[in-house]
C-alpha cells in the first residue's frame, strides 16, 4: 500500500493553482462559528486598542465611518480546507487606527463581541496586512459573516480574522486565543499548512 501525504488530494483542478496545499476552491462563503451569532447595534458598537501600558484608544461606529477606507481584494483560506479567491471588502486599515498608538508590544490579542479571541504577532496587523472591514461584495457585512465589523487578516487562516471584532489588546508576551488554546496552530499560515499545533 502506498503512502499518501497529508493534504494530498490528487492532481489539482485547472484554476486551483493559486491554492495553498490541502485547500479546495469554493464559490460560496461558508459560515462557521464557535458559538451563537452576536447582534450588535451600531449605536452600541465600538472598537478599542488597549496598549500594554493601559492606554485605551476608542472609536464609535460614527468615528470608524469618518476614517479613510480601502477596498482590498483578497483570497480567503479556512482551516477547514476551503478557499475563496478574489473576495472584495471595504474597511479601515489597521495602519490608520494605529497612527496615534504608542507601543513597544510585539503581540496582539483580538477580541470580539461574544467572547471570541485570537492571538497574532503585531507585525501581522500592520503595513497593509489587516483591516477592520464592514462591507463584503459592496454590501454591509452581515452578522453571520462577522458584521457589523470583522478583522480581516487574509494572509493567515480565516480563524485569525475575528468576526464581530470589538478590540485589540497589545501585549509583551504571546497569549493564545480561543482556537489556539484548543489545539490550533499559534500562527496559522495556510501556505505552510499550519492548521494545528506541531504543524
Amino acid at each position: 500500500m502506498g503512502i499518501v501525504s497529508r493534504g494530498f488530494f490528487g492532481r489539482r483542478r485547472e484554476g486551483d493553482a493559486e491554492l495553498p496545499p490541502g485547500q479546495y476552491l469554493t464559490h460560496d462563503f461558508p459560515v462557521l462559528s464557535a458559538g451563537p451569532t452576536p447582534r450588535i447595534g451600531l449605536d452600541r458598537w465600538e472598537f478599542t486598542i488597549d496598549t500594554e501600558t493601559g492606554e485605551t484608544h476608542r472609536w464609535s461606529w460614527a468615528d470608524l465611518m469618518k476614517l479613510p477606507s480601502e477596498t482590498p481584494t483578497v483570497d480567503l483560506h479556512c482551516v477547514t480546507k476551503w478557499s475563496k479567491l478574489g473576495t472584495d471588502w471595504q474597511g479601515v486599515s489597521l495602519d490608520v487606527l494605529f497612527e496615534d498608538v504608542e507601543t513597544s508590544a510585539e503581540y496582539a490579542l483580538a477580541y470580539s463581541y461574544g467572547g471570541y479571541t485570537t492571538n497574532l504577532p503585531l507585525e501581522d496587523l500592520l503595513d497593509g496586512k489587516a483591516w477592520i472591514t464592514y462591507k463584503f461584495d459592496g454590501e454591509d457585512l452581515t452578522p453571520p459573516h462577522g458584521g457589523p465589523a470583522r478583522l480581516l487578516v487574509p494572509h493567515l487562516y480565516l480563524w485569525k480574522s475575528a468576526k464581530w471584532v470589538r478590540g485589540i489588546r497589545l501585549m509583551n508576551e504571546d497569549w493564545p486565543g480561543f482556537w489556539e488554546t484548543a489545539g490550533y496552530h499559534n500562527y496559522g499560515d495556510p501556505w505552510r499548512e499550519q492548521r494545528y499545533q506541531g504543524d
Side-chain angles (χ1 to χ4, degrees):
M1 176 176 277
I3 297 174
V4 178
S5 298
R6 183 175 61 128
F8 180 76
F9 294 100
R11 187 175 303 160
R12 288 193 186 274
R13 296 177 299 269
E14 190 163 335
D16 288 1
E18 299 175 38
L19 297 181
Q23 297 291 110
Y24 68 89
L25 185 63
T26 187
H27 296 287
D28 59 355
F29 194 170
V31 174
L32 303 168
S33 300
T37 298
R39 310 265 176 193
I40 305 102
L42 299 182
D43 59 329
R44 294 185 301 115
W45 184 90
E46 69 174 13
F47 179 78
T48 60
I49 297 175
D50 301 305
T51 71
E52 73 278 19
T53 60
E55 185 179 358
T56 298
H57 301 261
R58 188 178 317 273
W59 295 266
S60 67
W61 187 260
D63 295 333
L64 188 73
M65 294 299 105
K66 291 176 187 172
L67 296 174
S69 68
E70 297 179 2
T71 53
T73 298
V74 299
D75 299 338
L76 304 177
H77 308 292
C78 183
V79 71
T80 61
K81 300 190 177 183
W82 61 261
S83 290
K84 184 172 176 63
L85 304 182
T87 62
D88 295 317
W89 300 82
Q90 183 175 347
V92 176
S93 170
L94 280 174
D95 294 321
V96 172
L97 296 168
F98 271 89
E99 279 179 359
D100 296 323
V101 176
E102 291 187 27
T103 183
S104 60
E106 294 183 20
Y107 302 101
L109 186 72
Y111 57 96
S112 300
Y113 291 93
Y116 179 80
T117 58
T118 190
N119 59 306
L120 308 100
L122 180 57
E123 67 183 358
D124 284 280
L125 297 176
L126 303 175
D127 297 324
K129 296 178 194 167
W131 299 264
I132 301 300
T133 59
Y134 48 82
K135 285 188 183 287
F136 174 74
D137 272 350
E139 302 290 331
D140 290 344
L141 190 59
T142 62
H145 289 297
R150 82 177 290 163
L151 177 63
L152 180 64
V153 189
H155 66 282
L156 300 177
Y157 279 124
L158 200 53
W159 91 80
K160 294 291 188 174
S161 294
K163 295 199 264 186
W164 318 295
V165 69
R166 185 176 188 169
I168 293 173
R169 186 172 301 119
L170 302 176
M171 302 175 299
N172 291 318
E173 295 181 16
D174 201 8
W175 191 263
F178 178 85
W179 284 118
E180 296 83 7
T181 302
Y184 279 47
H185 197 277
N186 204 48
Y187 186 64
D189 183 342
W191 295 97
R192 295 190 291 175
E193 279 197 279
Q194 293 177 333
R195 300 178 197 279
Y196 306 105
Q197 289 178 15
D199 286 350

Coordinates of all heavy atoms in Angstrom, one line a residue, residues 158-187:
L158 N -8.4 31.8 8.2 CA -9.5 32.7 8.5 C -9.9 32.8 10.0 O -10.5 33.8 10.4 CB -10.8 32.3 7.6 CG -11.8 33.4 7.4 CD1 -11.3 34.6 6.8 CD2 -12.9 32.8 6.5
W159 N -9.6 31.8 10.8 CA -10.0 32.0 12.2 C -9.2 33.1 12.9 O -9.6 33.6 13.9 CB -9.7 30.7 13.0 CG -8.4 30.4 13.6 CD1 -8.0 31.0 14.8 CD2 -7.3 29.6 13.1 NE1 -6.7 30.5 15.1 CE2 -6.3 29.7 14.1 CE3 -7.2 28.8 12.0 CZ2 -5.1 29.0 13.9 CZ3 -6.0 28.1 11.9 CH2 -4.9 28.3 12.8
K160 N -8.1 33.6 12.2 CA -7.4 34.8 12.8 C -8.1 36.1 12.4 O -7.8 37.1 13.0 CB -6.0 34.8 12.2 CG -5.1 33.6 12.6 CD -4.8 33.7 14.1 CE -3.7 32.7 14.5 NZ -3.3 32.8 15.9
S161 N -9.1 36.0 11.5 CA -9.8 37.2 11.1 C -11.1 37.3 12.0 O -12.2 36.9 11.5 CB -10.2 37.2 9.6 OG -9.0 37.2 8.8
A162 N -11.0 37.7 13.2 CA -12.0 37.6 14.2 C -13.3 38.3 13.7 O -13.3 39.5 13.4 CB -11.6 38.2 15.5
K163 N -14.4 37.5 13.7 CA -15.7 38.1 13.5 C -16.2 38.9 14.7 O -15.7 38.7 15.8 CB -16.7 37.0 13.2 CG -16.4 36.2 11.9 CD -17.6 35.4 11.5 CE -17.7 34.0 11.9 NZ -18.8 33.3 11.3
W164 N -17.1 39.9 14.4 CA -17.7 40.7 15.5 C -16.6 41.4 16.3 O -16.8 41.6 17.5 CB -18.7 39.9 16.3 CG -19.5 39.0 15.5 CD1 -20.4 39.3 14.6 CD2 -19.5 37.5 15.6 NE1 -21.0 38.2 14.1 CE2 -20.4 37.1 14.6 CE3 -18.7 36.6 16.3 CZ2 -20.7 35.7 14.4 CZ3 -19.0 35.3 16.1 CH2 -19.9 34.9 15.1
V165 N -15.6 41.8 15.7 CA -14.4 42.3 16.4 C -14.8 43.5 17.3 O -15.6 44.4 16.9 CB -13.2 42.7 15.5 CG1 -13.5 43.9 14.6 CG2 -11.9 42.9 16.2
R166 N -14.3 43.5 18.5 CA -14.5 44.6 19.5 C -13.3 45.3 19.9 O -13.4 46.5 20.3 CB -15.1 43.9 20.7 CG -15.6 44.9 21.8 CD -16.2 44.2 22.9 NE -16.8 45.2 23.8 CZ -17.7 44.8 24.8 NH1 -18.0 43.6 25.0 NH2 -18.2 45.8 25.5
G167 N -12.1 44.7 19.7 CA -10.9 45.4 20.1 C -9.7 44.5 20.0 O -9.7 43.4 19.6
I168 N -8.5 45.2 20.2 CA -7.2 44.6 20.2 C -6.5 45.0 21.4 O -6.4 46.2 21.7 CB -6.4 45.0 18.9 CG1 -7.1 44.4 17.6 CG2 -5.0 44.5 19.0 CD1 -6.5 44.9 16.4
R169 N -6.0 44.0 22.1 CA -5.2 44.2 23.3 C -3.7 43.9 23.0 O -3.4 42.8 22.5 CB -5.6 43.3 24.4 CG -5.0 43.5 25.8 CD -5.6 42.7 26.9 NE -7.0 43.0 27.0 CZ -8.1 42.1 26.8 NH1 -7.8 40.9 26.5 NH2 -9.3 42.6 26.9
L170 N -2.8 44.9 23.2 CA -1.4 44.8 22.9 C -0.7 44.2 24.1 O -1.0 44.6 25.2 CB -0.8 46.1 22.5 CG -1.5 46.8 21.3 CD1 -0.9 48.1 21.0 CD2 -1.4 45.9 20.1
M171 N 0.2 43.3 23.8 CA 0.9 42.5 24.9 C 2.4 42.4 24.7 O 2.8 42.3 23.5 CB 0.2 41.2 25.1 CG -1.3 41.3 25.4 SD -2.1 39.6 25.4 CE -1.7 39.0 23.8
N172 N 3.1 42.3 25.7 CA 4.6 42.0 25.6 C 4.8 40.5 25.5 O 5.9 40.1 25.0 CB 5.3 42.5 26.9 CG 5.3 44.0 26.9 OD1 5.5 44.7 25.9 ND2 5.0 44.6 28.1
E173 N 3.9 39.7 25.8 CA 4.0 38.2 25.7 C 2.9 37.7 24.9 O 1.8 38.2 25.0 CB 4.1 37.5 27.1 CG 5.3 37.9 27.9 CD 5.4 37.2 29.2 OE1 4.7 36.2 29.4 OE2 6.1 37.7 30.1
D174 N 3.1 36.6 24.2 CA 2.0 36.0 23.4 C 1.1 35.3 24.3 O 1.5 34.6 25.2 CB 2.6 35.0 22.4 CG 1.7 34.7 21.2 OD1 0.7 35.4 21.1 OD2 2.1 33.9 20.4
W175 N -0.2 35.4 24.0 CA -1.2 34.7 24.8 C -2.2 34.1 23.9 O -2.9 34.8 23.1 CB -1.9 35.8 25.7 CG -2.8 35.2 26.7 CD1 -4.2 35.0 26.7 CD2 -2.5 34.7 28.0 NE1 -4.7 34.5 27.8 CE2 -3.6 34.3 28.7 CE3 -1.2 34.6 28.7 CZ2 -3.6 33.7 29.9 CZ3 -1.2 34.1 30.0 CH2 -2.4 33.6 30.6
P176 N -2.4 32.7 23.9 CA -3.2 32.1 23.0 C -4.7 32.4 23.1 O -5.2 32.7 24.2 CB -3.0 30.6 23.3 CG -2.4 30.5 24.6 CD -1.7 31.8 24.9
G177 N -5.3 32.5 21.9 CA -6.8 32.8 21.9 C -7.6 31.5 22.0 O -7.1 30.4 22.4
F178 N -8.9 31.6 21.6 CA -9.9 30.6 21.7 C -9.4 29.3 21.0 O -9.3 28.2 21.6 CB -11.2 31.0 21.2 CG -12.3 30.0 21.2 CD1 -13.0 29.8 22.3 CD2 -12.5 29.2 20.1 CE1 -14.0 28.8 22.4 CE2 -13.5 28.2 20.1 CZ -14.3 28.0 21.3
W179 N -9.2 29.3 19.7 CA -8.9 28.1 19.0 C -7.4 27.7 19.2 O -7.1 26.5 19.2 CB -9.1 28.3 17.5 CG -10.6 28.2 17.1 CD1 -11.3 29.2 16.5 CD2 -11.5 27.1 17.2 NE1 -12.6 28.8 16.3 CE2 -12.7 27.5 16.8 CE3 -11.3 25.8 17.7 CZ2 -13.8 26.7 16.8 CZ3 -12.4 25.0 17.7 CH2 -13.7 25.5 17.3
E180 N -6.6 28.6 19.5 CA -5.2 28.3 19.8 C -5.1 27.4 21.1 O -4.3 26.5 21.2 CB -4.3 29.5 19.9 CG -4.2 30.3 18.6 CD -5.4 31.2 18.3 OE1 -6.3 31.4 19.2 OE2 -5.5 31.8 17.2
T181 N -5.9 27.8 22.1 CA -6.0 27.1 23.3 C -6.5 25.7 23.1 O -6.2 24.7 23.8 CB -6.8 27.8 24.3 OG1 -6.3 29.1 24.5 CG2 -6.9 27.1 25.7
A182 N -7.4 25.5 22.1 CA -8.0 24.2 21.8 C -7.1 23.3 20.8 O -7.6 22.3 20.4 CB -9.3 24.4 21.1
G183 N -5.9 23.8 20.5 CA -5.0 23.0 19.7 C -4.7 23.4 18.3 O -3.9 22.8 17.6
Y184 N -5.3 24.5 17.9 CA -5.0 25.1 16.6 C -3.6 25.7 16.6 O -3.1 26.1 17.7 CB -6.0 26.1 16.2 CG -7.3 25.6 15.6 CD1 -8.0 24.5 16.2 CD2 -7.8 26.1 14.4 CE1 -9.1 24.0 15.7 CE2 -9.0 25.6 13.9 CZ -9.6 24.5 14.5 OH -10.8 24.0 14.0
H185 N -3.0 25.8 15.5 CA -1.6 26.4 15.4 C -1.6 27.8 15.9 O -2.6 28.6 15.8 CB -1.2 26.4 13.9 CG 0.3 26.5 13.8 ND1 0.9 27.7 13.8 CD2 1.3 25.6 13.6 CE1 2.2 27.6 13.7 NE2 2.5 26.3 13.6
N186 N -0.5 28.2 16.5 CA -0.4 29.5 17.1 C -0.4 30.6 16.1 O -0.8 31.7 16.3 CB 0.8 29.6 18.0 CG 0.7 30.7 19.1 OD1 -0.3 30.8 19.8 ND2 1.7 31.5 19.2
Y187 N 0.2 30.3 14.9 CA 0.3 31.3 13.8 C -0.7 31.2 12.7 O -1.4 32.1 12.4 CB 1.8 31.3 13.3 CG 2.0 32.4 12.3 CD1 2.0 33.8 12.7 CD2 2.3 32.2 11.0 CE1 2.2 34.8 11.8 CE2 2.5 33.2 10.1 CZ 2.5 34.5 10.5 OH 2.7 35.6 9.6

